[in-house]
Amino acid sequence: MPLARAAHPEPAVAVTLAATGLAIGLGQTAWGAVAVAAAVLVGQLSVGWLNDLVDAPRDARVGRTDKPIAAGTLSATVVRALVAVSALAAVGLSFLSGPLAGAAHVVALISAWGYDLRLKATPFSIVPYAVSFGLLTAFVTLGLPSPYWPPWWLVATASLLGSAAHFANTLPDLADDRETGVIGLPHRVGATGSRVAAALLVLAASATLVAGLPTVLGFLALGAAVIVTAVGLALGRRPGSRATFHAMLVVAVLDAAVLVAG
């Protein structure tokens, strides 16, 4: 379905599941967990749709048939309206978790929208990923029945995972992006540098999680992260493959499971 493809469903679902699982694992109520899931999912949809809307002219220039707006299978007007509605809805839903939690999520969304609109083509393209993912943990903990600021290692784990996802997600599109003038940090370090950065960052995230939560399950997840990352890097060398990015999503879910269990 073109509308779903334009929203980047895989990361949207993975981030939503991770945030909701974390909320449940930290003792959020059933209603609170639903509020977290709704705010994060709608927010992720707004980010995905905005990304494809902004990129549509560039995607059309390089013949991206996998992009519904650029391919002409989805109206830009419809997506523009959906971006506005989903963005407003995400802001409103965020404050169901309380004023501090809502503010944290809104700042995370502004950071992500800023990436779509401008920062993705600058050397600071990694910053929105680090900021938004880190603040997502604050959104969850500040919305708990007994709210608190998340510990450093939780924020660091999420920020490192987000940063890894940035490098991995950009890998298949490096050439097309360069051709249309989008030159972010991954483009400046190149394909090999981006693969190395993605691997090191995702492993650093898992190691940071184990440092903050040294359980047997955590060490097992760290070992699994090494294997998944290695497989993702190997398969991701094929032209156009998103295996590296999918590996980052798997590691993110593994880390979220460790947090829930811990």
Side-chain angles (χ1 to χ4, degrees):
M1 183 180 179
L3 198 59
R5 288 206 312 275
H8 299 230
E10 292 166 332
V13 171
V15 172
T16 302
L17 288 176
T20 306
L22 176 60
I24 294 171
L26 293 177
Q28 182 59 274
T29 64
W31 163 247
V34 170
V36 167
V40 174
L41 178 59
V42 175
Q44 289 297 305
L45 292 177
S46 75
V47 172
W49 281 324
L50 179 60
N51 182 78
D52 266 28
L53 184 64
V54 171
D55 284 354
R58 292 190 292 260
D59 289 336
R61 211 179 311 157
V62 294
R64 291 289 299 272
T65 56
D66 59 320
K67 298 285 189 173
I69 304 175
T73 58
L74 183 62
S75 166
T77 302
V78 170
V79 177
R80 193 174 294 110
L82 285 171
V83 168
V85 171
S86 59
L88 289 172
V91 170
L93 289 167
S94 297
F95 286 98
L96 291 177
S97 297
L100 290 178
H105 193 230
V106 169
V107 174
L109 287 173
I110 291 172
S111 169
W113 295 329
Y115 171 84
D116 288 344
L117 293 169
R118 173 60 185 151
L119 290 174
K120 70 186 300 178
T122 74
F124 307 103
S125 59
I126 194 174
V127 174
Y129 276 83
V131 170
S132 295
F133 275 75
L135 282 174
L136 192 59
T137 63
F139 171 53
V140 172
T141 61
L142 290 172
L144 293 171
S146 298
Y148 60 91
W149 185 259
W152 70 268
W153 55 266
L154 182 55
V155 177
T157 296
S159 292
L160 289 166
L161 282 172
S163 299
H166 174 45
F167 283 101
N169 189 40
T170 309
L171 272 170
D173 305 324
L174 286 177
D176 286 347
D177 287 345
R178 279 186 174 278
E179 190 175 333
T180 57
V182 176
I183 306 177
L185 183 59
H187 309 84
R188 295 165 197 264
V189 302
T192 300
S194 292
R195 288 192 186 91
V196 172
L200 291 178
L201 285 165
V202 78
L203 294 177
S206 297
T208 302
L209 176 60
V210 171
L213 208 64
T215 63
V216 173
L217 185 59
F219 283 102
L220 289 174
L222 178 58
V226 172
I227 296 171
V228 170
T229 301
V231 172
L233 287 172
L235 296 178
R237 297 183 68 85
R238 296 175 300 181
S241 172
R242 294 197 176 274
T244 302
F245 180 59
H246 292 155
M248 304 301 105
L249 294 181
V250 171
V251 174
V253 172
L254 283 173
D255 287 348
V258 172
L259 285 166
V260 171

